Coordinates of all heavy atoms in Angstrom, one line a residue:
M1 N -242.7 30.2 -135.6 CA -242.8 31.4 -134.8 C -241.6 32.3 -135.1 O -240.5 31.9 -135.2 CB -242.8 31.0 -133.4 CG -242.8 32.3 -132.5 SD -242.9 31.9 -130.7 CE -241.2 31.5 -130.4
S2 N -241.9 33.6 -135.3 CA -240.9 34.6 -135.5 C -240.4 35.1 -134.2 O -241.1 35.6 -133.3 CB -241.5 35.8 -136.3 OG -240.6 36.8 -136.3
F3 N -239.1 35.0 -134.0 CA -238.5 35.5 -132.8 C -238.3 37.0 -132.8 O -237.8 37.6 -131.9 CB -237.1 34.8 -132.5 CG -237.3 33.3 -132.1 CD1 -237.1 32.3 -133.1 CD2 -237.7 33.0 -130.9 CE1 -237.3 31.0 -132.7 CE2 -237.9 31.7 -130.5 CZ -237.7 30.7 -131.4
D4 N -238.7 37.6 -133.9 CA -238.6 39.1 -134.1 C -239.9 39.7 -133.5 O -239.9 40.9 -133.3 CB -238.5 39.5 -135.5 CG -237.1 39.0 -136.1 OD1 -236.2 38.9 -135.3 OD2 -237.1 38.8 -137.3
D5 N -240.9 38.9 -133.3 CA -242.2 39.5 -132.8 C -242.3 39.3 -131.3 O -242.5 38.2 -130.8 CB -243.4 38.7 -133.5 CG -244.7 39.3 -133.1 OD1 -244.8 40.1 -132.2 OD2 -245.7 38.9 -133.7
P6 N -242.1 40.4 -130.5 CA -242.0 40.2 -129.1 C -243.3 39.6 -128.5 O -243.3 38.9 -127.5 CB -241.8 41.6 -128.5 CG -241.7 42.5 -129.7 CD -241.9 41.7 -131.0
D7 N -244.5 39.9 -129.1 CA -245.7 39.4 -128.6 C -245.8 37.9 -128.7 O -246.2 37.2 -127.8 CB -246.9 40.0 -129.3 CG -247.1 41.5 -129.0 OD1 -246.7 41.9 -127.9 OD2 -247.7 42.2 -129.8
Q8 N -245.3 37.4 -129.8 CA -245.3 35.9 -130.0 C -244.3 35.2 -129.1 O -244.5 34.1 -128.6 CB -244.9 35.6 -131.5 CG -246.1 35.9 -132.4 CD -247.4 35.2 -132.0 OE1 -247.4 34.0 -131.7 NE2 -248.5 35.9 -131.9
V9 N -243.1 35.9 -128.8 CA -242.2 35.4 -127.9 C -242.8 35.3 -126.5 O -242.7 34.2 -125.8 CB -240.9 36.2 -127.8 CG1 -240.0 35.8 -126.7 CG2 -240.2 36.1 -129.2
E10 N -243.5 36.3 -126.1 CA -244.2 36.3 -124.8 C -245.3 35.2 -124.7 O -245.4 34.5 -123.7 CB -244.7 37.7 -124.4 CG -243.6 38.6 -124.0 CD -244.0 39.8 -123.2 OE1 -245.1 40.3 -123.5 OE2 -243.3 40.2 -122.3
V11 N -246.0 35.1 -125.8 CA -247.1 34.0 -125.8 C -246.4 32.7 -125.6 O -246.9 31.8 -124.9 CB -247.9 34.1 -127.1 CG1 -248.7 32.9 -127.3 CG2 -248.8 35.3 -127.1
Q12 N -245.3 32.4 -126.3 CA -244.6 31.2 -126.2 C -244.0 30.9 -124.8 O -244.1 29.8 -124.2 CB -243.4 31.1 -127.2 CG -242.8 29.7 -127.2 CD -243.7 28.7 -127.7 OE1 -244.3 28.8 -128.8 NE2 -243.9 27.6 -127.0
V13 N -243.5 32.0 -124.1 CA -243.1 31.9 -122.7 C -244.2 31.5 -121.8 O -244.1 30.6 -121.0 CB -242.4 33.2 -122.2 CG1 -242.2 33.2 -120.7 CG2 -241.1 33.4 -123.0
I14 N -245.4 32.1 -122.0 CA -246.6 31.8 -121.2 C -247.0 30.4 -121.4 O -247.2 29.6 -120.5 CB -247.7 32.8 -121.5 CG1 -247.4 34.2 -121.0 CG2 -249.0 32.3 -120.8 CD1 -248.3 35.3 -121.5
E15 N -247.0 29.9 -122.7 CA -247.4 28.6 -123.0 C -246.4 27.6 -122.3 O -246.8 26.6 -121.7 CB -247.4 28.4 -124.5 CG -247.9 27.0 -124.9 CD -247.9 26.8 -126.4 OE1 -247.9 27.8 -127.2 OE2 -248.0 25.6 -126.9
D16 N -245.1 27.8 -122.4 CA -244.1 26.9 -121.9 C -244.2 26.9 -120.3 O -244.1 25.8 -119.7 CB -242.7 27.4 -122.3 CG -242.5 27.2 -123.8 OD1 -243.2 26.5 -124.4 OD2 -241.5 27.8 -124.2
V17 N -244.5 28.0 -119.7 CA -244.6 28.0 -118.2 C -245.9 27.3 -117.8 O -245.8 26.4 -116.9 CB -244.7 29.5 -117.7 CG1 -245.1 29.5 -116.3 CG2 -243.3 30.2 -117.9
L18 N -247.0 27.5 -118.5 CA -248.2 26.7 -118.2 C -248.0 25.2 -118.4 O -248.5 24.4 -117.6 CB -249.4 27.3 -119.0 CG -249.8 28.7 -118.7 CD1 -251.0 29.1 -119.6 CD2 -250.2 28.9 -117.2
D19 N -247.3 24.9 -119.4 CA -247.1 23.4 -119.7 C -246.2 22.9 -118.5 O -246.5 21.7 -118.1 CB -246.3 23.2 -121.0 CG -247.2 23.4 -122.2 OD1 -248.5 23.4 -122.1 OD2 -246.7 23.5 -123.3
A20 N -245.2 23.6 -118.0 CA -244.4 23.1 -116.9 C -245.2 23.0 -115.7 O -245.1 22.0 -114.9 CB -243.2 24.1 -116.7
V21 N -246.1 23.9 -115.4 CA -247.0 23.9 -114.2 C -247.9 22.7 -114.3 O -248.0 21.9 -113.4 CB -247.8 25.2 -114.0 CG1 -248.8 25.0 -112.9 CG2 -246.9 26.3 -113.7
E22 N -248.5 22.5 -115.5 CA -249.4 21.3 -115.7 C -248.7 20.0 -115.5 O -249.2 19.1 -114.8 CB -250.0 21.4 -117.0 CG -251.0 20.3 -117.3 CD -252.2 20.3 -116.4 OE1 -252.6 21.3 -115.8 OE2 -252.8 19.2 -116.2
A23 N -247.5 19.9 -116.0 CA -246.7 18.6 -115.8 C -246.5 18.3 -114.4 O -246.6 17.2 -113.9 CB -245.4 18.7 -116.6
R24 N -246.1 19.4 -113.6 CA -245.8 19.1 -112.2 C -247.1 18.8 -111.4 O -247.0 18.0 -110.5 CB -245.0 20.3 -111.7 CG -243.6 20.3 -112.2 CD -242.8 21.5 -111.6 NE -241.4 21.4 -112.1 CZ -240.9 22.1 -113.1 NH1 -241.7 22.9 -113.8 NH2 -239.7 22.0 -113.4
L25 N -248.2 19.5 -111.8 CA -249.4 19.2 -111.1 C -249.8 17.8 -111.3 O -250.3 17.0 -110.4 CB -250.5 20.1 -111.6 CG -250.5 21.6 -111.0 CD1 -251.5 22.4 -111.7 CD2 -250.7 21.6 -109.5
R26 N -249.7 17.3 -112.6 CA -250.1 15.9 -112.9 C -249.2 14.9 -112.2 O -249.7 13.9 -111.7 CB -250.0 15.7 -114.4 CG -251.2 16.3 -115.1 CD -251.1 16.1 -116.6 NE -252.0 16.9 -117.3 CZ -253.0 16.4 -118.0 NH1 -253.2 15.1 -118.1 NH2 -253.9 17.2 -118.6
E27 N -247.9 15.2 -112.1 CA -247.0 14.3 -111.3 C -247.5 14.1 -109.9 O -247.6 13.0 -109.3 CB -245.6 14.9 -111.3 CG -244.9 14.8 -112.6 CD -243.5 15.5 -112.6 OE1 -243.1 16.0 -111.5 OE2 -242.9 15.7 -113.6
R28 N -247.8 15.3 -109.2 CA -248.3 15.2 -107.9 C -249.6 14.5 -107.7 O -249.9 13.7 -106.8 CB -248.5 16.6 -107.3 CG -247.2 17.4 -107.1 CD -246.5 16.9 -105.8 NE -245.3 17.7 -105.5 CZ -245.3 18.7 -104.6 NH1 -246.4 18.9 -103.9 NH2 -244.2 19.3 -104.3
E29 N -250.6 14.8 -108.7 CA -251.9 14.1 -108.6 C -251.8 12.6 -108.8 O -252.5 11.9 -108.2 CB -252.8 14.8 -109.6 CG -253.2 16.2 -109.3 CD -253.9 17.0 -110.3 OE1 -253.7 16.6 -111.5 OE2 -254.6 18.0 -110.0
L30 N -250.9 12.2 -109.7 CA -250.7 10.7 -109.9 C -250.2 10.0 -108.6 O -250.4 8.8 -108.4 CB -249.7 10.5 -111.0 CG -250.2 10.8 -112.4 CD1 -249.1 10.7 -113.5 CD2 -251.4 9.8 -112.7
C31 N -249.6 10.8 -107.7 CA -249.1 10.3 -106.4 C -250.2 10.4 -105.3 O -249.9 10.2 -104.2 CB -247.8 10.9 -106.0 SG -246.5 10.6 -107.1
G32 N -251.4 10.9 -105.7 CA -252.5 11.0 -104.7 C -252.7 12.3 -104.1 O -253.6 12.5 -103.3
W33 N -251.9 13.3 -104.4 CA -252.0 14.7 -103.9 C -253.2 15.4 -104.5 O -253.5 15.1 -105.6 CB -250.7 15.5 -104.1 CG -249.6 14.9 -103.3 CD1 -248.7 14.0 -103.7 CD2 -249.1 15.4 -102.0 NE1 -247.8 13.7 -102.7 CE2 -248.0 14.6 -101.7 CE3 -249.6 16.3 -101.1 CZ2 -247.3 14.8 -100.5 CZ3 -248.9 16.5 -100.0 CH2 -247.8 15.7 -99.6
R34 N -253.8 16.3 -103.7 CA -255.0 17.1 -104.2 C -254.8 18.5 -103.9 O -254.3 18.9 -102.8 CB -256.3 16.6 -103.5 CG -256.6 15.1 -103.9 CD -257.1 15.0 -105.3 NE -257.2 13.6 -105.7 CZ -256.4 13.0 -106.5 NH1 -255.4 13.6 -107.1 NH2 -256.6 11.7 -106.8
L35 N -255.1 19.4 -104.8 CA -255.0 20.8 -104.6 C -256.1 21.3 -103.6 O -257.2 20.8 -103.6 CB -255.2 21.6 -105.9 CG -254.1 21.4 -107.0 CD1 -254.5 22.1 -108.3 CD2 -252.8 22.0 -106.4
T36 N -255.7 22.3 -102.9 CA -256.6 23.0 -101.9 C -257.2 24.3 -102.5 O -258.0 24.9 -101.8 CB -255.9 23.2 -100.6 OG1 -254.8 24.1 -100.8 CG2 -255.5 21.9 -99.9
V37 N -256.7 24.7 -103.6 CA -257.2 25.9 -104.3 C -257.5 25.5 -105.8 O -257.1 24.5 -106.3 CB -256.1 27.0 -104.3 CG1 -255.8 27.4 -102.9 CG2 -254.9 26.6 -105.0
P38 N -258.3 26.3 -106.5 CA -258.5 26.1 -107.9 C -257.2 26.0 -108.7 O -256.3 26.7 -108.4 CB -259.4 27.2 -108.3 CG -260.0 27.7 -107.1 CD -259.0 27.5 -106.0
R39 N -257.2 25.2 -109.7 CA -256.0 25.0 -110.6 C -255.6 26.4 -111.1 O -254.4 26.7 -111.2 CB -256.3 24.1 -111.7 CG -255.2 23.3 -112.3 CD -255.8 22.2 -113.2 NE -254.9 21.2 -113.6 CZ -254.5 20.2 -112.8 NH1 -255.1 20.0 -111.6 NH2 -253.6 19.3 -113.2
A40 N -256.5 27.2 -111.5 CA -256.3 28.5 -112.1 C -255.4 29.4 -111.1 O -254.6 30.2 -111.5 CB -257.5 29.2 -112.4
R41 N -255.6 29.2 -109.8 CA -254.9 29.9 -108.8 C -253.4 29.6 -108.9 O -252.5 30.5 -108.7 CB -255.4 29.6 -107.4 CG -254.8 30.4 -106.3 CD -255.2 31.8 -106.3 NE -254.5 32.5 -105.2 CZ -254.7 33.7 -104.9 NH1 -255.5 34.5 -105.6 NH2 -254.1 34.3 -103.9
I42 N -253.1 28.3 -109.1 CA -251.7 27.9 -109.2 C -251.1 28.6 -110.5 O -250.0 29.1 -110.4 CB -251.6 26.4 -109.3 CG1 -252.2 25.7 -108.1 CG2 -250.1 26.0 -109.5 CD1 -251.5 26.0 -106.7
Y43 N -251.8 28.5 -111.6 CA -251.3 29.1 -112.8 C -251.1 30.6 -112.6 O -250.0 31.1 -113.0 CB -252.3 28.9 -114.0 CG -252.5 27.5 -114.4 CD1 -253.7 26.9 -114.6 CD2 -251.4 26.6 -114.7 CE1 -253.9 25.6 -115.0 CE2 -251.6 25.3 -115.1 CZ -252.8 24.8 -115.2 OH -253.0 23.5 -115.7
A44 N -252.0 31.2 -112.0 CA -251.9 32.7 -111.8 C -250.7 33.0 -110.9 O -250.0 34.0 -111.2 CB -253.2 33.2 -111.2
A45 N -250.5 32.3 -109.9 CA -249.4 32.6 -108.9 C -248.0 32.4 -109.6 O -247.1 33.2 -109.5 CB -249.5 31.7 -107.7
V46 N -247.9 31.4 -110.4 CA -246.7 31.1 -111.2 C -246.5 32.2 -112.2 O -245.4 32.8 -112.3 CB -246.6 29.7 -111.8 CG1 -245.4 29.6 -112.7 CG2 -246.6 28.7 -110.7
L47 N -247.5 32.6 -113.0 CA -247.4 33.7 -114.0 C -247.0 35.0 -113.3 O -246.2 35.8 -113.8 CB -248.6 33.8 -114.8 CG -248.9 32.7 -115.8 CD1 -250.2 32.8 -116.5 CD2 -247.7 32.6 -116.8
Q48 N -247.6 35.3 -112.1 CA -247.3 36.5 -111.4 C -245.8 36.5 -111.0 O -245.1 37.5 -111.1 CB -248.2 36.7 -110.2 CG -248.1 38.0 -109.5 CD -246.9 38.2 -108.7 OE1 -246.4 37.3 -108.0 NE2 -246.3 39.4 -108.7
A49 N -245.3 35.4 -110.6 CA -243.8 35.3 -110.3 C -243.0 35.6 -111.5 O -241.9 36.2 -111.4 CB -243.5 33.9 -109.7
V50 N -243.4 35.1 -112.6 CA -242.6 35.3 -113.9 C -242.7 36.8 -114.2 O -241.7 37.4 -114.6 CB -243.2 34.5 -115.1 CG1 -242.5 34.9 -116.4 CG2 -242.9 33.0 -114.8
I51 N -243.9 37.4 -114.1 CA -244.0 38.8 -114.4 C -243.2 39.7 -113.5 O -242.5 40.6 -113.9 CB -245.5 39.2 -114.4 CG1 -246.3 38.6 -115.5 CG2 -245.6 40.8 -114.4 CD1 -247.8 38.7 -115.3
A52 N -243.2 39.4 -112.2 CA -242.4 40.1 -111.2 C -240.9 40.0 -111.5 O -240.2 40.9 -111.4 CB -242.7 39.6 -109.8
S53 N -240.5 38.8 -111.9 CA -239.1 38.5 -112.2 C -238.7 39.3 -113.4 O -237.6 39.9 -113.5 CB -238.9 37.0 -112.4 OG -237.5 36.8 -112.8
A54 N -239.6 39.4 -114.4 CA -239.3 40.1 -115.6 C -239.1 41.6 -115.3 O -238.2 42.3 -115.8 CB -240.3 39.9 -116.7
R55 N -240.0 42.1 -114.5 CA -239.9 43.5 -114.1 C -238.6 43.8 -113.3 O -238.1 44.9 -113.4 CB -241.1 43.9 -113.2 CG -242.4 44.0 -113.9 CD -243.6 44.2 -113.0 NE -244.8 44.3 -113.7 CZ -246.0 44.1 -113.1 NH1 -246.1 43.7 -111.8 NH2 -247.1 44.1 -113.8
A56 N -238.2 42.9 -112.5 CA -237.0 43.1 -111.7 C -235.7 42.9 -112.4 O -234.6 43.2 -111.9 CB -237.0 42.1 -110.5
S57 N -235.8 42.4 -113.7 CA -234.6 42.0 -114.4 C -233.8 43.2 -114.9 O -232.7 43.1 -115.3 CB -235.0 41.2 -115.7 OG -235.7 42.0 -116.6
R58 N -234.4 44.4 -114.9 CA -233.7 45.6 -115.3 C -233.5 45.7 -116.8 O -232.6 46.5 -117.3 CB -232.4 45.9 -114.5 CG -232.6 45.9 -113.0 CD -233.3 47.1 -112.6 NE -233.3 47.2 -111.1 CZ -234.4 47.3 -110.4 NH1 -235.6 47.4 -111.0 NH2 -234.4 47.3 -109.1
H59 N -234.1 44.8 -117.5 CA -234.0 44.9 -119.0 C -235.1 45.8 -119.5 O -236.1 45.9 -118.9 CB -234.3 43.5 -119.6 CG -233.2 42.5 -119.3 ND1 -232.0 42.5 -120.0 CD2 -233.1 41.5 -118.4 CE1 -231.2 41.5 -119.6 NE2 -231.9 40.9 -118.6
Y60 N -234.8 46.5 -120.6 CA -235.8 47.3 -121.2 C -236.0 46.9 -122.6 O -235.0 46.9 -123.3 CB -235.4 48.8 -121.1 CG -236.5 49.7 -121.7 CD1 -237.6 50.0 -120.9 CD2 -236.5 50.1 -123.0 CE1 -238.7 50.7 -121.4 CE2 -237.5 50.9 -123.5 CZ -238.6 51.2 -122.7 OH -239.6 51.9 -123.3
P61 N -237.2 46.6 -123.0 CA -238.4 46.5 -122.2 C -238.4 45.3 -121.4 O -237.7 44.3 -121.7 CB -239.5 46.5 -123.3 CG -238.9 45.9 -124.5 CD -237.4 46.3 -124.4
A62 N -239.2 45.3 -120.3 CA -239.2 44.2 -119.4 C -240.2 43.1 -119.9 O -241.3 43.0 -119.5 CB -239.7 44.7 -118.0
T63 N -239.7 42.4 -120.9 CA -240.5 41.3 -121.5 C -240.4 40.0 -120.7 O -239.3 39.8 -120.0 CB -240.1 41.1 -122.9 OG1 -238.7 40.8 -123.0 CG2 -240.4 42.3 -123.8
L64 N -241.3 39.1 -120.8 CA -241.3 37.9 -120.0 C -240.1 37.0 -120.3 O -239.6 36.3 -119.4 CB -242.6 37.1 -120.3 CG -243.9 37.8 -119.8 CD1 -245.1 36.9 -120.1 CD2 -243.9 38.2 -118.4
D65 N -239.6 37.0 -121.5 CA -238.5 36.2 -121.8 C -237.2 36.6 -121.1 O -236.2 35.9 -121.1 CB -238.3 36.1 -123.3 CG -238.0 37.4 -124.0 OD1 -238.8 38.4 -123.7 OD2 -237.1 37.5 -124.8
C66 N -237.2 37.8 -120.5 CA -236.0 38.3 -119.7 C -236.1 37.9 -118.2 O -235.2 38.2 -117.5 CB -235.9 39.8 -119.9 SG -235.5 40.3 -121.5
A67 N -237.2 37.3 -117.8 CA -237.4 36.9 -116.4 C -236.3 35.9 -116.0 O -236.2 34.8 -116.5 CB -238.8 36.3 -116.2
D68 N -235.6 36.3 -114.9 CA -234.5 35.4 -114.4 C -235.1 34.1 -113.9 O -234.4 33.1 -113.9 CB -233.8 36.1 -113.3 CG -233.0 37.3 -113.8 OD1 -232.5 37.3 -114.9 OD2 -232.8 38.3 -113.0
I69 N -236.3 34.1 -113.4 CA -236.9 33.0 -112.8 C -237.1 31.8 -113.8 O -237.3 30.7 -113.4 CB -238.2 33.3 -112.1 CG1 -238.6 32.3 -111.1 CG2 -239.4 33.5 -113.1 CD1 -239.8 32.8 -110.2
L70 N -237.1 32.1 -115.1 CA -237.3 31.1 -116.1 C -236.3 30.0 -116.0 O -236.6 28.8 -116.3 CB -237.4 31.7 -117.5 CG -238.6 32.6 -117.7 CD1 -238.5 33.2 -119.1 CD2 -239.9 31.9 -117.6
D71 N -235.1 30.3 -115.7 CA -234.0 29.3 -115.6 C -234.4 28.3 -114.5 O -234.2 27.1 -114.7 CB -232.7 29.9 -115.3 CG -232.1 30.7 -116.5 OD1 -232.5 30.4 -117.6 OD2 -231.3 31.6 -116.2
A72 N -234.9 28.8 -113.4 CA -235.3 27.9 -112.3 C -236.5 27.0 -112.7 O -236.6 25.9 -112.3 CB -235.6 28.7 -111.0
I73 N -237.4 27.6 -113.5 CA -238.6 26.9 -113.9 C -238.3 25.8 -114.9 O -238.8 24.7 -114.8 CB -239.7 27.9 -114.4 CG1 -240.3 28.7 -113.3 CG2 -240.8 27.1 -115.2 CD1 -241.2 29.8 -113.8
F74 N -237.5 26.1 -115.9 CA -237.3 25.2 -117.0 C -236.1 24.3 -116.8 O -236.1 23.1 -117.2 CB -237.2 25.9 -118.3 CG -238.4 26.7 -118.7 CD1 -238.3 28.0 -119.1 CD2 -239.6 26.1 -118.7 CE1 -239.4 28.7 -119.5 CE2 -240.8 26.8 -119.0 CZ -240.7 28.1 -119.4
D75 N -235.1 24.8 -116.2 CA -233.8 24.0 -116.1 C -233.5 23.5 -114.7 O -232.6 22.7 -114.5 CB -232.6 24.8 -116.6 CG -232.8 25.3 -118.0 OD1 -233.5 24.7 -118.8 OD2 -232.3 26.4 -118.3
G76 N -234.2 24.0 -113.7 CA -233.9 23.7 -112.3 C -232.6 24.3 -111.9 O -232.1 24.0 -110.9
A77 N -232.2 25.3 -112.7 CA -230.9 26.0 -112.3 C -231.1 26.9 -111.1 O -232.2 27.3 -110.8 CB -230.5 26.8 -113.5
E78 N -230.0 27.2 -110.5 CA -230.1 28.2 -109.4 C -230.6 29.5 -109.9 O -230.2 30.0 -111.0 CB -228.7 28.4 -108.8 CG -228.3 27.3 -107.8 CD -229.2 27.3 -106.6 OE1 -229.5 28.4 -106.0 OE2 -229.6 26.2 -106.2
P79 N -231.6 30.1 -109.3 CA -232.1 31.4 -109.8 C -231.2 32.5 -109.5 O -230.3 32.4 -108.7 CB -233.4 31.5 -108.9 CG -233.1 30.8 -107.6 CD -232.2 29.6 -108.0
A80 N -231.4 33.6 -110.3 CA -230.6 34.8 -110.1 C -230.9 35.4 -108.8 O -232.0 35.1 -108.2 CB -230.8 35.7 -111.3
P81 N -230.1 36.3 -108.3 CA -230.4 37.0 -107.0 C -231.8 37.7 -106.9 O -232.3 37.8 -105.9 CB -229.3 38.0 -106.8 CG -228.2 37.4 -107.7 CD -228.8 36.7 -108.8
S82 N -232.3 38.1 -108.1 CA -233.6 38.8 -108.1 C -234.7 37.8 -107.9 O -235.9 38.2 -107.6 CB -233.8 39.5 -109.4 OG -233.8 38.7 -110.5
C83 N -234.5 36.5 -108.0 CA -235.6 35.5 -107.8 C -235.8 35.3 -106.3 O -234.8 35.2 -105.5 CB -235.2 34.2 -108.5 SG -235.1 34.3 -110.2
T84 N -237.0 35.0 -105.9 CA -237.3 34.7 -104.5 C -237.4 33.3 -104.2 O -237.4 32.9 -103.0 CB -238.6 35.4 -104.1 OG1 -239.6 34.9 -105.0 CG2 -238.6 36.9 -104.3
S85 N -237.3 32.4 -105.2 CA -237.5 31.0 -104.9 C -236.6 30.2 -105.9 O -236.5 30.5 -107.0 CB -238.9 30.6 -105.1 OG -239.1 29.2 -105.1
A86 N -236.0 29.1 -105.3 CA -235.1 28.3 -106.1 C -236.0 27.3 -106.9 O -235.6 26.8 -107.9 CB -234.1 27.5 -105.3
R87 N -237.2 27.0 -106.4 CA -238.1 26.1 -107.1 C -239.5 26.7 -107.1 O -240.4 26.3 -106.3 CB -238.2 24.8 -106.3 CG -236.8 24.1 -106.2 CD -236.9 23.0 -105.2 NE -238.0 23.1 -104.3 CZ -238.6 22.0 -103.7 NH1 -238.2 20.8 -103.9 NH2 -239.6 22.2 -102.9
P88 N -239.7 27.7 -107.9 CA -241.0 28.5 -107.9 C -242.3 27.7 -108.1 O -243.2 27.8 -107.3 CB -240.8 29.5 -109.0 CG -239.7 29.0 -109.9 CD -238.9 28.2 -109.0
I89 N -242.3 26.7 -109.0 CA -243.5 26.0 -109.2 C -243.7 25.0 -108.0 O -244.9 25.0 -107.5 CB -243.4 25.2 -110.5 CG1 -243.4 26.1 -111.7 CG2 -244.6 24.2 -110.6 CD1 -243.3 25.5 -113.1
E90 N -242.7 24.3 -107.6 CA -242.9 23.4 -106.5 C -243.3 24.1 -105.2 O -244.1 23.6 -104.4 CB -241.6 22.6 -106.3 CG -241.3 21.6 -107.4 CD -240.7 22.2 -108.6 OE1 -240.4 23.4 -108.7 OE2 -240.5 21.4 -109.6
D91 N -242.7 25.3 -105.0 CA -243.0 26.0 -103.8 C -244.5 26.5 -103.8 O -245.2 26.4 -102.8 CB -242.1 27.3 -103.6 CG -240.7 26.9 -103.3 OD1 -240.4 25.7 -103.0 OD2 -239.8 27.8 -103.4
I92 N -245.0 27.0 -104.9 CA -246.4 27.4 -105.0 C -247.3 26.2 -104.9 O -248.3 26.3 -104.1 CB -246.6 28.2 -106.3 CG1 -245.9 29.5 -106.3 CG2 -248.1 28.4 -106.6 CD1 -245.8 30.3 -107.6
I93 N -247.0 25.1 -105.6 CA -247.9 23.9 -105.4 C -247.8 23.4 -104.0 O -248.9 23.1 -103.4 CB -247.4 22.9 -106.4 CG1 -247.7 23.3 -107.9 CG2 -248.1 21.5 -106.1 CD1 -247.2 22.4 -108.9
G94 N -246.6 23.4 -103.4 CA -246.5 22.8 -102.1 C -247.3 23.6 -101.0 O -247.7 22.9 -100.0
R95 N -247.5 24.8 -101.2 CA -248.3 25.6 -100.3 C -249.8 25.4 -100.5 O -250.6 25.9 -99.7 CB -248.0 27.1 -100.4 CG -246.6 27.5 -99.9 CD -246.5 29.0 -99.8 NE -246.7 29.7 -101.1 CZ -245.7 30.0 -101.9 NH1 -244.5 29.8 -101.6 NH2 -246.0 30.7 -103.0
N96 N -250.2 24.7 -101.5 CA -251.6 24.6 -101.9 C -252.0 23.2 -102.3 O -252.9 23.0 -103.1 CB -251.9 25.5 -103.1 CG -251.7 27.0 -102.8 OD1 -252.5 27.6 -102.0 ND2 -250.6 27.5 -103.3
I97 N -251.4 22.2 -101.6 CA -251.7 20.8 -101.9 C -251.7 20.0 -100.6 O -250.9 20.3 -99.7 CB -250.7 20.3 -103.0 CG1 -251.2 19.1 -103.7 CG2 -249.4 20.0 -102.4 CD1 -250.5 18.7 -105.0
V98 N -252.5 18.9 -100.6 CA -252.5 18.0 -99.4 C -252.6 16.6 -99.9 O -253.0 16.3 -101.0 CB -253.7 18.3 -98.5 CG1 -253.6 19.7 -97.9 CG2 -255.0 18.1 -99.2
H99 N -252.1 15.7 -99.1 CA -252.2 14.3 -99.4 C -253.4 13.8 -98.5 O -253.4 14.0 -97.3 CB -250.9 13.5 -99.1 CG -250.8 12.2 -99.8 ND1 -251.5 11.1 -99.4 CD2 -250.2 11.9 -100.9 CE1 -251.3 10.1 -100.2 NE2 -250.5 10.6 -101.2
P100 N -254.3 13.0 -99.1 CA -255.5 12.6 -98.4 C -255.2 11.6 -97.3 O -256.0 11.4 -96.4 CB -256.4 12.0 -99.4 CG -255.5 11.7 -100.6 CD -254.4 12.6 -100.5
N101 N -254.1 11.0 -97.2 CA -253.8 10.0 -96.2 C -253.3 10.6 -94.9 O -252.6 11.4 -94.6 CB -252.7 9.0 -96.7 CG -253.3 8.1 -97.8 OD1 -254.5 8.0 -97.9 ND2 -252.4 7.6 -98.6

């Protein structure tokens, strides 16, 4: 992949975010948890958080790879002040999942 092509960088960011969401969903499902919304809703909510973070980053152009929230998603690092959640994927999943017991 060429890091000079901003479109390819953004596609890679989206792919990495979706992979992170899928991994966390599978972890929860293996423990018996079940989603209360379609899986696509979880993906969309996380991607919207990344887009909002990129817009708030004050970088020009506001590309997805500049989103402050990515550190919290990939590294578990404390988010920048512009982020609304320290654990964006877990928070979104947590609002949309139940345990059948």
Side-chain angles (χ1 to χ4, degrees):
M1 173 176 83
S2 170
F3 290 103
D4 295 331
D5 184 352
D7 290 337
Q8 288 303 312
V9 170
E10 287 200 321
V11 167
Q12 187 64 52
V13 168
I14 293 168
E15 183 179 345
D16 292 346
V17 168
L18 293 178
D19 286 345
V21 172
E22 181 61 24
R24 287 183 177 97
L25 284 172
R26 285 179 189 244
E27 287 172 10
R28 292 282 189 99
E29 289 169 339
L30 287 173
C31 294
W33 292 86
R34 297 290 171 248
L35 290 174
T36 59
V37 297
R39 207 172 196 81
R41 180 74 179 181
I42 302 296
Y43 294 133
V46 173
L47 287 175
Q48 191 282 327
V50 172
I51 292 165
S53 178
R55 288 177 181 154
S57 71
R58 305 287 184 235
H59 293 280
Y60 183 79
T63 57
L64 296 181
D65 59 312
C66 294
D68 292 332
I69 202 170
L70 294 176
D71 290 335
I73 289 174
F74 297 132
D75 303 329
E78 279 296 311
S82 64
C83 293
T84 59
S85 173
R87 304 171 338 154
I89 294 175
E90 288 81 1
D91 291 347
I92 290 168
I93 292 173
R95 290 191 301 264
N96 297 287
I97 201 165
V98 294
H99 201 281
N101 293 336

